[in-house]
Amino acid sequence: MYAVFVSQVHKVVYPHSPHEIDELELRIGDYIYLNSDAVDNSSDGWAEGISWLTGAQGHLPVNYTERTAESDAWTLHRVVQLSKSITPSLTSNEECDLVDGRSLSTETEDHLRHRDLNQVGIHASELIEGSSFNEDSEQSVEKYLRKTLKPCLDIPTITNNHSSNQQQATPLIEITPNSMSTPNASGDIKVEPIPAAPPKADDTLSQHSAENSMSLSSKNRRVYIMRHGERVDFTFGTWIPYCFDEFNNYMRKDLNMPKTLPKRSNIPDGWLNDSPLTNIGLYQASLIGEALYDARVQIDHVYCSPAYRCVQTCTSALEGLKLTGKHKIKLEPGLFEWMAWYPDGVPDWLTKEELQAAKYNIDTEYQPFVAINNLNESIKETTEGFYTRNYDVLRKIIDSTVGNVLIVAHATTLDTCTRQLIGEAPRNTNELRQVIHKIPYCSLANVEEIDGQWKLVEPDTLPVTHSKNPRFEWNALTAT
């Protein structure tokens, strides 16, 4: 006996790491069950949903998902066995699908009721009219699970060259004819272990590694655009009153805060709109640089927003790339954020001299494409004007240089610089706000010139993700 219902099912198109205990983790390829009323009545774009993959429940940003077609939304909620027939076991080593160490085929009935039969090909009427859970339908579910989860499992397979229809299996050894022996009735063979391929840079996801190896041989010109790392003010909130004494001396109040800050003329107010990075932010940037180094990425020119957090990110990324001291950082005000967010004008950035005194390798002779005075005149720029400003700067950088370029700036930069470069129109304000929420710290976008056309391509590195770590208060242990 079966109960089959049509439900609103959404497919995850962007990953999301929970920042609160009631949030739901989103994994690309997973399906989320959402209540239509909850989605329609949401005032902030968040709704409560249930993961098809894990059965977990929590709140999620709906715009990180897209609704599936109604024909793809059939859900098997409950299976009740009416006969004493025993279905084939799915718990053998070859049959069992594992995610996070758990068998999908042997999960509890409560978890099974959240399984989506998307693309299995079983018509709803067949399920309703069926009088028993036959072997064909069970195998269809199994095949769907294996197909859906194969990118997660990453099980290597080989096919026998003598038969294209031979079933694939996990390779242990390869059996080939012994060319050194005279053929005889016994059919001499030799057993050769499959040679282990040397590990490649960032070889943690098979799909990424396969395409990454192709990118290594590419000689096309590339521009790497990177967002800055985790910033102090967004992590700790109003931090300045607690970290500066009456003499304006800086005092660290958390291990994730910088030990020291460079000297600047306007202390402490200069840090209000020009936040430093946290120590985690510095490490994030270094990880990206190390991954680019492992991928053998060549950088020929370095440009950076004048914001201190971007200068720090750029410096740490260059350290990871083992390019410390080899490239001077060109500060370009034209790469700064949307001026509509700064009605009082550009922040009080550190000067080139102050950055040099703090041991940052700044190109003091560089003449920017957009001067600070011109930027101050753009405090009422439209969204389209913002896109055009960033794009024009990138276009001038490309036209005035040869080789690969690294640009370190802001979340918006990954879209505003590349959108028109690849032939797309600028986004409107709402679309811009939606897209920047999908660009976390130290995100990296790659554009490559292919046959005279610039295209967004898969980055040479994996993304970097970390969870939010709440502050520990030791006296919580003394509570009665």
Side-chain angles (χ1 to χ4, degrees):
M1 183 176 183
Y2 304 93
V4 181
F5 305 94
V6 176
S7 175
Q8 187 178 67
V9 180
H10 286 228
K11 182 178 180 179
V12 176
V13 293
Y14 298 103
H16 171 68
S17 298
H19 297 296
E20 304 293 342
I21 59 175
D22 62 342
E23 292 183 17
L24 180 66
E25 180 181 6
L26 299 182
R27 305 179 185 179
I28 294 179
D30 191 9
Y31 291 87
I32 306 297
Y33 296 83
L34 292 166
N35 182 283
S36 299
D37 293 337
V39 174
D40 295 338
N41 297 328
S42 174
S43 60
D44 58 359
W46 287 65
E48 190 172 24
I50 300 174
S51 166
W52 165 83
L53 188 62
T54 65
Q57 184 172 349
H59 289 84
L60 64 136
V62 178
N63 64 333
Y64 279 41
T65 67
E66 63 180 15
R67 189 171 180 180
T68 62
E70 293 296 336
S71 60
D72 294 336
W74 291 106
T75 306
L76 178 64
H77 280 262
R78 187 63 61 95
V79 177
V80 180
Q81 183 176 329
L82 299 180
S83 65
K84 295 183 179 180
S85 62
I86 301 177
T87 58
S89 171
L90 297 178
T91 59
S92 67
N93 290 336
E94 294 184 357
E95 300 287 326
C96 210
D97 285 321
L98 297 177
V99 175
D100 292 339
R102 299 176 60 191
S103 168
L104 291 178
S105 303
T106 58
E107 286 188 355
T108 63
E109 191 174 80
D110 287 337
H111 282 178
L112 279 173
R113 64 194 177 97
H114 298 306
R115 292 291 179 259
D116 185 5
L117 297 185
N118 181 19
Q119 300 177 353
V120 172
I122 303 176
H123 195 275
S125 61
E126 296 176 2
L127 289 177
I128 296 174
E129 296 173 2
S131 60
S132 65
F133 188 59
N134 55 51
E135 182 178 348
D136 291 338
S137 61
E138 184 176 29
Q139 290 177 349
S140 297
V141 175
E142 177 201 353
K143 290 177 181 178
Y144 170 65
L145 291 175
R146 294 186 66 84
K147 179 180 178 181
T148 304
L149 297 173
K150 184 170 182 174
C152 302
L153 297 174
D154 193 19
I155 301 176
T157 58
I158 60 171
T159 304
N160 192 319
N161 293 330
H162 301 292
S163 174
S164 60
N165 297 325
Q166 183 77 13
Q167 184 176 4
Q168 291 182 339
T170 302
L172 296 178
I173 58 175
E174 181 179 16
I175 302 177
T176 59
N178 189 350
S179 59
M180 301 300 293
S181 304
T182 303
N184 52 41
S186 62
D188 292 338
I189 61 173
K190 65 177 181 178
V191 178
E192 298 179 350
I194 295 180
K200 297 187 290 293
D202 280 343
D203 195 9
T204 52
L205 292 178
S206 60
Q207 291 179 339
H208 171 87
S209 299
E211 298 189 12
N212 187 44
S213 62
M214 295 176 61
S215 70
L216 297 179
S217 60
S218 174
K219 295 182 180 180
N220 294 327
R221 190 180 186 191
R222 284 196 171 192
V223 176
Y224 299 86
I225 305 176
M226 180 178 175
R227 186 193 176 188
H228 60 76
E230 181 183 80
R231 47 194 289 180
V232 168
D233 54 353
F234 283 11
T235 303
F236 295 99
T238 307
W239 64 285
I240 293 178
Y242 304 101
C243 293
F244 287 88
D245 60 20
E246 64 272 22
F247 304 106
N248 292 331
N249 295 315
Y250 170 73
M251 302 172 293
R252 180 167 70 163
K253 295 299 181 69
D254 190 280
L255 291 180
N256 197 24
M257 288 182 171
K259 282 187 177 181
T260 60
L261 291 175
K263 294 181 180 180
R264 62 189 308 165
S265 59
N266 188 11
I267 296 179
D269 293 340
W271 298 110
L272 282 173
N273 291 323
D274 193 27
S275 174
L277 292 185
T278 65
N279 288 325
I280 294 297
L282 293 173
Y283 184 60
Q284 287 172 320
S286 178
L287 285 177
I288 297 296
E290 290 174 5
L292 290 173
Y293 176 81
D294 291 340
R296 302 195 292 277
V297 168
Q298 177 179 336
I299 298 297
D300 302 293
H301 307 277
V302 181
Y303 291 81
C304 183
S305 164
Y308 181 59
R309 56 189 179 275
C310 298
V311 176
Q312 286 185 291
T313 301
C314 188
T315 301
S316 291
L318 291 175
E319 289 175 358
L321 273 160
K322 303 189 187 307
L323 294 177
T324 301
K326 296 182 179 180
H327 289 299
K328 289 184 177 294
I329 300 173
K330 299 176 176 63
L331 300 183
E332 176 52 62
L335 295 171
F336 189 58
E337 294 182 296
W338 188 17
M339 288 306 300
W341 293 335
Y342 296 86
D344 296 328
V346 297
D348 182 22
W349 294 318
L350 277 80
T351 65
K352 293 180 180 179
E353 292 73 23
E354 289 172 336
L355 289 170
Q356 278 192 316
K359 307 302 183 184
Y360 291 101
N361 191 19
I362 305 300
D363 188 346
T364 57
E365 298 180 359
Y366 172 70
Q367 296 298 319
F369 296 110
V370 177
I372 294 179
N373 292 335
N374 294 337
L375 203 58
N376 274 323
E377 297 173 358
S378 304
I379 57 176
K380 294 183 179 180
E381 68 180 347
T382 63
T383 312
E384 183 177 358
F386 173 43
Y387 269 87
T388 301
R389 166 167 58 89
N390 274 189
Y391 166 67
D392 286 346
V393 169
L394 177 62
R395 187 76 259 180
K396 291 176 180 177
I397 290 174
I398 292 174
D399 293 342
S400 61
T401 58
V402 176
N404 296 338
V405 179
L406 172 65
I407 293 175
V408 180
H410 308 273
T412 53
T413 315
L414 276 68
D415 192 60
T416 54
C417 279
T418 61
R419 183 76 175 168
Q420 290 160 277
L421 186 66
I422 62 175
E424 299 291 339
R427 302 183 195 271
N428 60 40
T429 303
N430 290 332
E431 292 171 340
L432 174 62
R433 287 173 176 164
Q434 291 291 331
V435 76
I436 62 176
H437 290 302
K438 300 168 185 175
I439 305 175
Y441 293 127
C442 283
S443 294
L444 185 71
N446 288 13
V447 282
E448 181 177 349
E449 189 177 25
I450 303 174
D451 298 328
Q453 299 293 324
W454 287 93
K455 297 181 180 179
L456 277 168
V457 295
E458 182 181 3
D460 292 301
T461 73
L462 295 172
V464 55
T465 307
H466 68 91
S467 62
K468 183 177 181 180
N469 189 41
R471 183 179 178 86
F472 171 67
E473 298 293 346
W474 67 271
N475 54 10
L477 303 178
T478 65
T480 57

